[in-house]
């Protein structure tokens, strides 16, 4: 297990290290939107009119900004999606 720390967010734990970007080889970073605990529904601009009711996570390349695709309900699911991109 590794712990990912980000300013302004709670630490998250994942059991896989995010692999380098499959497109440019740069490091990946966790991105997250905090929705839980606010008592409000938030509309995620990136996902058009999709209303988010819980925290969402994804990984993106620090350099070319490629993403894991979609928003995931946990950092673990996001790292799994990111690491699957290696074969693409």
């Amino acid at each position: 297990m590794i712990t990912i720390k980000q300013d302004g967010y709670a630490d998250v734990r994942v059991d896989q290290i995010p692999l380098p970007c499959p497109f440019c080889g740069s490091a990946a970073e966790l991105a997250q939107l905090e929705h839980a605990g606010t008592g409000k529904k938030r509309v995620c601009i990136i996902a058009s009119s999709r209303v988010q009711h819980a925290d969402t996570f994804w990984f993106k390349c620090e350099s070319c900004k490629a993403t894991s695709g979609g928003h995931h309900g946990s950092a673990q699911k996001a790292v799994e999606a990111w690491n699957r991109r290696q074969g693409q």
Side-chain angles (χ1 to χ4, degrees):
M1 283 280 203
I2 63 166
T3 301
I4 300 173
K5 298 175 182 278
Q6 287 185 295
D7 290 341
Y9 293 99
D11 296 350
V12 294
R13 294 178 61 87
V14 295
D15 66 5
Q16 298 176 26
I17 295 171
L19 299 172
C21 178
F23 305 107
C24 73
S26 296
E29 62 184 356
L30 179 66
Q32 48 184 311
L33 292 174
E34 184 177 9
H35 302 286
T38 64
K40 299 177 184 176
K41 295 179 186 175
R42 291 189 184 178
V43 176
C44 176
I45 302 302
I46 297 169
S48 185
S49 61
R50 183 175 175 193
V51 176
Q52 303 290 336
H53 299 278
D55 294 348
T56 55
F57 303 86
W58 67 98
F59 276 86
K60 67 180 180 180
C61 174
E62 292 177 346
S63 180
C64 74
K65 306 302 181 204
T67 71
S68 54
H71 290 189
H72 304 276
S74 72
Q76 181 61 43
K77 289 185 187 276
V79 76
E80 290 169 2
W82 174 261
N83 286 349
R84 276 195 302 272
R85 304 239 23 208
Q86 297 305 316
Q88 297 181 9

